[in-house]
Every structure is written in C-alpha cells, then in structure tokens.
Amino acid sequence: MENYFLLFKTADAEKRAWRNLVAQRRSAITPIVELSRGKKKRNAGKDADGKPLTAEQLLSTFGVYGFERNWQTSLELLGDCEWFFLDLTREPSLSCAEIEQISGSNNGYEKWTSFVLDRRDEGISVRPTLIVNPAEEDDETSYVADLRSQFNTFASNFSEIAYRVAISEDDEFLFDLISLKGEIDSFQGSGGRFFVILDHEYVRPGNGLVHSKRTKQVISSIYSELKQVEIVVLATSFPKSVTDIGDEEHSIFRVEEMFLYEEVKKTHAKIKYGDYGSINPVRNDEVIITQGWRPRIDFVSRHNGLNTYYFREKRKVVGTTEVVVKGERKTKNILAPYSTHYRSVATKVTSFSPFYQAIRSSWGEDEIVAAAGGSVGSNSPSHWISVRMEIHISQVLKHFGCDPI
C-alpha cells in the first residue's frame, strides 16, 4: 500500500517497534527513513583536557556519535521492504558532523547522491529524497544548478524521487519545484514518480483544522505548477511530554495527523497519508533522568475516530530507610517497584471501555495484556514507546481498512 507513509527516525524504540510489527503489516507501509546521528560513543565528546564539548562543538566534531552503525542497522532492518525513501534528519539535535558533511551542496550534492547510489549498489531498495542545503556563499544560480544536478543524477538511476519540505517553516519551497519543473515533467514523462512530502512535523491536538486550511492552499499552488506530482501529508501529534496537553495521570487526545489528512482530502482527494508512528520530532535522549520516571502506558484507539489515551502513576512510598549522605544520617523513602506501577497502569488501559480494543496479532497489545496479568516485559520507558508505536501503526492500517492481518 502506498497510502501510508511512515517517517522512521531510526531511534532504538522505533527499531524495536518495527522488529515486532508482523511482516504483513510492514509490507503495507512505505517508510521514509530519516537517518540521524545515532548514540553518542562512550567517552567521546570531550576535548584534550577531558572537558565536555559544547553542543556546537559536538555538531562539528567527527566520531562523536555512532552514525555509521545507526544507518547500517536501520537499513538492514528495512531490508524486507519493497522500497523506501532515504532522507537525512533536519532536526539539529539529531544531526552530527557526518550528516553535515554528506548533506553539503558541493558539486550537485555529490556526497549525498554517492551515498544513496552506494546503498542501491549494495542491493538495498532505497529511493532518494532531494536534499536542499545550500552553502552560505551560494548565489541563486549555483543554488539552482546544484539542485538540478542532484535531481538529474537521481532521475538517471531511480524511478521514484521524493522532495520533503517542512511546510510550516519553509514558505518559499515552491521556488525549488518551479526551478525543477522541466526536469520533473521530463522524469514523469518517462514513467518516473515524483512525491512531494508536506511535513507538518508536530501538530498540536485540536489545531488540525487551522493547518488543513493552509495546506489546501499550498497544494493548490503546487498543482498549478505540477499537476502530476503525488503529495503526501505528513505530521505527528504525539507531544514531547504528555502533560503539555493532558493531565498528570490520564488523558485522551485526537490523533490529529489523521484529522488533518481527512480534512485536506475533502478538497484534494488524491493525497496520501503519512505520520511519524506516534513519535515526536524531538527526542528526549539527551535528557538525564535523575529522579526516576512515572510509569506510563499509551494506547491508540479506533473507537469514535483515532484517539490516543494514556495512564500514568507517581510511584508510591512503601516505607523508609536510613542512609548516610556526606556523613549525615537521613531518612530516604522506599518507592514501589516500577513493575508494580506498570502492571497497575496496564490494568487501567485495558479497562478503559469502550476505547480499549483487542488487536489481532499485535505485539504491543500483547505486551499490555501481559503486563496487566503481572508479566511486565520491561520497566524502560523506551520499551513502552515501542509498544505505542506498534499499536499506532496497526490501528492506522485498520482505520484505512487495509490491515493485511
């Protein structure tokens, strides 16, 4: 199916969700793989005196992150896809020196086109995404020349090409498409397919109608120049922190990306749907948790439209103990085990009628049922992000009526 495009940002939680998604469902999705920097290497990111590098220094220093291992493991994981788009992260906090180097505009984005072609030559079913990353000294002539050179290299080697734009930030992207109009028309005339991915990134629940009105106008402008392009409306509404939009212990909110898509589709029937698999564009992996976390489980429901709900709990104090801190005796609370709370919130999730639904052949739903029964698969928040993502993907396929299970 080409009507569900999944932005895959290559974090460990997303890889776990993908591994546990049954093969038939994986085959029903077209991933857009956004390569990111990977994990920071142990003891890397320090200067000669052992002092931690600043964020700016980290971005300009090679070998700090495991970028190569990350893209290798990510592409291996996607190996059974018929084909998928390859892209580089546009999120500064997920970039690194290697990505900055690959995305340079020199010689028609030579390093990027070579990187994609090398992956194709290795037998990986990649399709390219156009990179737009001009150097500060580039003028308009060199800007367009590099973009055309990149497009022509890809057009000579692939039958599908994508162009992804952050629609809320880049209101001048139509210039790129107009600059490539002749090349795109020729490519399509030879049987090629050109996808324009309108990436809304994070859309706050409740704001889909506002975004849809603007997006409809943008799409009309694109069609006025390029009538045959295939447009993907991409977004996510899962917040960076659930308490940004919900209560401390429980809330439910609309899967706004689906609402946005369905609103735009009323005007532009041929558009395709895309989302982040319930992953927020900005990761929390730089955050150091020192005070523990509140166990939380999310569930994506198809009751009354697509909605996500969650239950979370503050860990209970079950006793006290005496500890010595810097020579001074203090009383420290003893908290209930994480597994106790994960079992409790899993029970609340499965009891939330009529929104809770059993999902056939869903690893994520099985994990929640097992936790409610006392067998908690993991106490890691990352594990439960994977559970949510696997359920989200399964429910989106069911919502479209194309779940192959």
Side-chain angles (χ1 to χ4, degrees), residues 161-292:
I161 300 174
Y163 171 91
R164 176 176 155 218
V165 58
I167 187 173
S168 300
E169 299 177 6
D170 186 358
D171 55 4
E172 298 181 349
F173 76 92
L174 201 57
F175 173 81
D176 297 341
L177 298 182
I178 294 173
S179 299
L180 293 171
K181 178 174 169 50
E183 286 78 6
I184 294 171
D185 286 344
S186 176
F187 178 62
Q188 292 177 319
S190 301
R193 303 176 67 189
F194 187 68
F195 295 81
V196 176
I197 300 168
L198 301 179
D199 186 356
H200 296 70
E201 300 182 331
Y202 175 64
V203 175
R204 188 178 177 86
N207 287 355
L209 196 58
V210 175
H211 287 280
S212 71
K213 289 179 179 177
R214 179 174 181 272
T215 300
K216 289 175 185 178
Q217 296 173 354
V218 169
I219 293 175
S220 295
S221 297
I222 296 172
Y223 282 150
S224 69
E225 298 290 340
L226 298 158
K227 293 181 172 53
Q228 301 303 318
V229 298
E230 301 180 55
I231 294 178
V232 180
V233 174
L234 177 74
T236 183
S237 60
F238 201 90
K240 189 174 180 182
S241 171
V242 292
T243 53
D244 290 344
I245 60 171
D247 295 335
E248 288 287 341
E249 295 187 347
H250 166 68
S251 195
I252 182 167
F253 52 89
R254 188 164 64 190
V255 177
E256 200 70 16
E257 53 269 44
M258 184 60 74
F259 176 80
L260 167 63
Y261 164 77
E262 291 175 341
E263 280 297 311
V264 177
K265 194 173 178 64
K266 291 176 182 176
T267 302
H268 300 290
K270 294 190 297 183
I271 62 166
K272 302 175 187 301
Y273 171 83
D275 67 32
Y276 284 55
S278 79
I279 302 297
N280 189 270
V282 180
R283 291 209 297 255
N284 292 323
D285 49 2
E286 291 292 314
V287 177
I288 300 174
I289 301 175
T290 58
Q291 301 296 322

Side-chain angles (χ1 to χ4, degrees), residues 14 47 64 77 113 131 175 215 218 236 243 287 323 327 329 358 361 370 374 384:
E14 293 164 84
D47 63 17
V64 174
L77 200 59
T113 56
I131 298 294
F175 173 81
T215 300
V218 169
T236 183
T243 53
V287 177
V323 297
R329 297 185 68 82
S361 300
W384 294 101

Side-chain angles (χ1 to χ4, degrees), residues 48 86 128 131 195 293 370 402:
L86 194 61
I131 298 294
F195 295 81
W293 58 90
C402 60

Side-chain angles (χ1 to χ4, degrees), residues 107-157:
N107 300 319
Y109 294 86
E110 182 180 26
K111 291 188 181 302
W112 171 237
T113 56
S114 296
F115 182 86
V116 179
L117 288 170
D118 286 347
R119 305 291 80 78
R120 183 206 59 174
D121 293 343
E122 292 169 357
I124 302 172
S125 301
V126 294
R127 299 291 186 274
T129 300
L130 295 177
I131 298 294
V132 182
N133 184 35
E136 289 186 7
E137 63 272 18
D138 286 355
D139 56 20
E140 184 174 311
T141 300
S142 58
Y143 175 96
V144 173
D146 285 327
L147 192 59
R148 284 176 174 160
S149 178
Q150 179 188 190
F151 184 93
N152 289 330
T153 299
F154 286 144
S156 299
N157 289 280

Side-chain angles (χ1 to χ4, degrees), residues 384-397:
W384 294 101
I385 292 173
S386 305
V387 166
R388 181 187 72 230
M389 183 174 179
E390 194 272 348
I391 291 172
H392 175 98
I393 293 171
S394 300
Q395 294 287 57
V396 167
L397 290 171

